[in-house]
Amino acid sequence: SSDLEGADVASALVSLASERHATHIVMGQPDPRRWWQELLRPSVVQRLLRARLCADIHIVRLRDECG
């Protein structure tokens, strides 16, 4: 377990993953947002997906959307 510090969660996660040579990152699905919100302020998940990271990013569903 590690404490992350920094103003930007995505940048802190990228730094930690790089330091630890992580091969996988598991994140919960972000809450639904309007397209313009995602454009103006991307979610942590979107920023991780855009980062140059040598790890697989897995997004898990938090709510039962299938039934």
Side-chain angles (χ1 to χ4, degrees), residues 10-53:
S11 295
L13 286 171
V14 168
S15 294
L16 181 64
S18 297
E19 289 172 14
R20 300 279 177 102
H21 304 287
T23 57
H24 298 273
I25 297 174
V26 179
M27 302 279 300
Q29 181 179 0
D31 289 330
R33 301 170 74 184
R34 299 192 187 277
W35 67 269
W36 56 269
Q37 291 173 313
E38 196 65 42
L39 183 65
L40 294 175
R41 186 162 186 237
S43 65
V44 172
V45 170
Q46 283 297 327
R47 288 181 287 177
L48 278 178
L49 290 171
R50 292 180 187 151
R52 293 182 183 219
L53 187 61

Side-chain angles (χ1 to χ4, degrees), residues 25-32 45 57-67:
I25 297 174
V26 179
M27 302 279 300
Q29 181 179 0
D31 289 330
V45 170
I57 301 172
H58 305 273
I59 310 301
V60 295
R61 187 177 52 203
L62 297 178
R63 297 186 185 106
D64 183 20
E65 297 175 352
C66 297

